[in-house]
Amino acid sequence: MGLLHDGEWDPDATRGQYDHDTFDAAVGPGTDHPPAAGRYHLYVSRACPWAHRVALVRRLCGLEDAVSVDVVDPVRNDRGWEFTPAKDGCTPESTHGFDTLYEVFRWADPTYTGRVTVPILYDTATDAVVQEESADIARTLATAFDGYATTDRDLYPERLRDAIDAAIDDVHASINTAVYRAGFADSQADYDDAVAELFDALERWDDRLADRRYAVGDRLTLADVFLFPTLYRFDAVYHTHFMCNRRRLVDYDHLWPYARDVYATPGVAATCDMDHVTAHYYRSHEDLHPTGIVPVGPDADWTASQNRAALSTAAPDAA
């Protein structure tokens, strides 16, 4: 995997080998990092589901002009995340001209020790990595940058925050991370436990979405932003690559139309890049897939009609 140790890149280091430094500063009025258009910069991967949720918030809130973004190469190698602008959908590193993401971390903290991850929120005025936890960044973008949004979409309304947070916690524990616990399980028992929890949760959410359009009722919120990236990747990578193959997303009566409904939301499709997704998983995880061959399928029609709009009038906002 590789990580930084006292500011030096160690390509052979593994998760947990060193204590992990964190970047978790607050962004808001009266802090060291006040909101301002053009001041903050995102580093994302189109392949990574955690970065995808941040890209979704940026796009859905209309923050493209306020918060800039760089996109790393989907394939992570022994130098970690790299910038390869010659590849489709990738960009150069625009703040300093670096070739790798670890150089950004090291610039922000020359003695940093820990993993070099996406997404990160970077303050160009102070040359600081402000936040590295995707949930924190998503909430920050959805709340602290209201004055710079070009849409009126409120993804985190105060009256629904308890319900949204509860849904996010459930989805994170039983779906978002369960696919990884299955894919990287070290034993049959760990794999079996992860798969059982995952498909129990998918069945539960399939039932829940039978009579409500979105995760907490009749409007798109951060709960949907956190669920959708895993569903988008499910059949293409998690079903096969991570052996989560009890059922496919397309086999669910309500989850599959729900995922297509979210995909049809203006701006969402622009954040989706299945070529980056499959290239990353099948070419970066050599221990799971040493050949690096990227499967050609499946052929899922994400633009097929789903007839879920009527549920917005049938179901009120609910927990």
Side-chain angles (χ1 to χ4, degrees):
M1 174 178 286
L3 49 75
L4 283 170
H5 181 224
D6 290 335
E8 295 297 323
W9 179 251
D10 182 349
D12 299 317
T14 58
R15 184 197 306 259
Q17 186 171 342
Y18 305 109
D19 291 336
H20 178 59
D21 296 337
T22 58
F23 299 104
D24 56 0
V27 177
T31 71
D32 291 336
H33 307 285
R39 173 168 177 159
Y40 294 92
H41 186 71
L42 284 170
Y43 293 93
V44 304
S45 163
R46 297 296 184 201
C48 170
W50 320 109
H52 193 178
R53 58 177 60 164
V54 168
L56 282 165
V57 176
R58 175 178 177 265
R59 177 71 66 152
L60 288 167
C61 291
L63 295 172
E64 295 96 322
D65 292 336
V67 181
S68 53
V69 65
D70 286 341
V71 181
V72 297
D73 191 310
V75 180
R76 191 179 59 206
N77 57 28
D78 59 4
R79 287 176 14 118
W81 296 108
E82 293 185 297
F83 297 95
T84 54
K87 284 190 177 182
D88 288 345
C90 300
T91 71
E93 196 284 303
S94 61
T95 61
H96 304 288
F98 293 138
D99 294 324
T100 65
L101 189 60
Y102 77 72
E103 293 171 281
V104 176
F105 277 70
R106 187 167 61 191
W107 183 268
D109 181 358
T111 63
Y112 174 78
T113 293
R115 298 173 60 215
V116 175
T117 58
V118 287
I120 59 172
L121 181 64
Y122 191 85
D123 184 345
T124 62
T126 60
D127 268 335
V129 176
V130 181
Q131 294 173 351
E132 60 177 329
E133 166 54 51
S134 63
D136 293 341
I137 300 172
R139 287 186 174 94
T140 293
L141 294 179
T143 57
F145 288 84
D146 285 349
Y148 308 102
T150 59
T151 72
D152 59 1
R153 189 183 297 278
D154 186 356
L155 294 173
Y156 200 43
E158 289 194 22
R159 68 185 181 85
L160 292 177
R161 287 186 183 180
D162 287 346
I164 293 169
D165 290 342
I168 286 173
D169 288 345
D170 178 41
V171 165
H172 178 79
S174 60
I175 297 177
N176 297 153
T177 60
V179 293
Y180 282 87
R181 285 188 280 113
F184 291 103
D186 291 327
S187 70
Q188 186 70 50
D190 289 344
Y191 166 78
D192 290 344
D193 288 346
V195 167
E197 182 177 4
L198 168 66
F199 284 97
D200 284 350
L202 290 174
E203 189 69 34
R204 174 162 35 85
W205 276 95
D206 190 60
D207 291 342
R208 181 171 184 167
L209 289 163
D211 59 359
R212 65 179 65 186
R213 186 174 183 184
Y214 297 114
V216 297
D218 68 352
R219 62 188 295 170
L220 188 80
T221 68
L222 282 184
D224 305 288
V225 167
F226 282 45
L227 175 57
F228 175 77
T230 299
L231 299 183
Y232 179 69
R233 290 156 177 77
F234 197 88
D235 288 0
V237 292
Y238 301 143
H239 179 272
T240 302
H241 186 53
F242 281 177
M243 300 177 293
C244 299
N245 58 0
R246 181 179 292 172
R247 294 182 74 183
R248 302 167 302 168
L249 173 64
V250 298
D251 296 325
Y252 287 93
D253 292 335
H254 309 296
L255 272 174
W256 173 224
Y258 159 81
R260 300 200 311 274
D261 189 13
V262 175
Y263 184 85
T265 304
V268 170
T271 70
C272 298
D273 192 322
M274 191 58 75
D275 288 339
H276 275 216
V277 169
T278 53
H280 168 71
Y281 283 93
Y282 289 105
R283 290 180 176 159
S284 299
H285 301 155
E286 293 182 356
D287 51 340
L288 297 182
H289 191 65
T291 67
I293 296 172
V294 178
V296 298
D299 293 327
D301 186 359
W302 281 88
T303 63
S305 61
Q306 22 69 30
N307 301 317
R308 287 184 58 85
L311 292 175
S312 283
T313 57
D317 291 335

